[in-house]
Amino acid sequence: MTEPKVHVGKVLKANTPIANADAFAALNQIVAAAREYGQIRQTEGTKRAAIAAEEHVQVDRIRAAEGVLQLYFERVFEERASTSGEMFARLDEAMESGDPQMVHAVVRGIVDLAQASPLAGLEDFGTFWKTLGTADNPIEL
């Protein structure tokens, strides 16, 4: 972008006559400044539009990622709910049978299930987020 021009003029007394050339120069300065203003305004408006468009892209990307993550959690926790329900049923059966080894094995399975994070398999969450929803890694729901 070009540097704005600084215009310098003379301060005239009220009764001082103004030469036609000075008046014409002042008119040219007004026209040039108005033209420059219009160009700057258009350039800045284009920049604002690009920023707004990028904002929409990022908001849509976040919403898509949110949808994927919510779906993932629903499925994982639905599966975990089913698995944990079965584990507690097995624990009841093991306690009713009086088999301490079976009780220990089932309790160990429950503890392992409780300690496992659904996102533990993601080694680098930053890389995952960076590539989520890009042209190389589209999101499919």
Side-chain angles (χ1 to χ4, degrees):
M1 189 163 100
T2 61
E3 282 290 317
K5 296 177 187 172
V6 176
H7 301 282
V8 179
K10 302 184 263 181
V11 177
L12 302 174
K13 295 184 182 191
N15 294 342
T16 306
I18 300 173
N20 289 343
D22 289 339
F24 186 69
L27 176 63
N28 282 335
Q29 287 179 359
I30 290 171
V31 169
R35 186 175 293 132
E36 185 179 351
Y37 167 77
Q39 289 171 344
I40 290 170
R41 181 180 169 138
Q42 183 178 7
T43 300
E44 295 304 316
T46 301
K47 288 179 185 178
R48 283 191 296 276
I51 290 168
E54 181 62 24
E55 177 185 4
H56 288 298
V57 167
Q58 294 304 324
V59 167
D60 290 346
R61 184 173 172 222
I62 289 168
R63 287 186 179 142
E66 179 183 355
V68 169
L69 195 56
Q70 283 180 341
L71 185 60
Y72 173 78
F73 281 138
E74 286 172 12
R75 289 181 181 167
V76 166
F77 288 114
E78 180 180 322
E79 176 186 315
R80 284 176 166 239
S82 172
T83 302
S84 66
E86 290 177 25
M87 296 284 271
F88 284 108
R90 299 297 171 267
L91 179 59
D92 290 342
E93 291 172 9
M95 289 188 326
E96 286 177 17
S97 72
D99 183 351
Q101 289 179 328
M102 179 65 89
V103 169
H104 177 74
V106 173
V107 168
R108 183 76 231 152
I110 292 170
V111 169
D112 289 346
L113 181 65
Q115 289 178 337
S117 166
L119 297 177
L122 294 176
E123 307 231 349
D124 184 356
F125 194 74
T127 300
F128 167 77
W129 175 252
K130 183 178 171 186
T131 60
L132 181 68
T134 62
D136 296 332
N137 186 29
I139 297 173
E140 295 181 21
L141 297 178

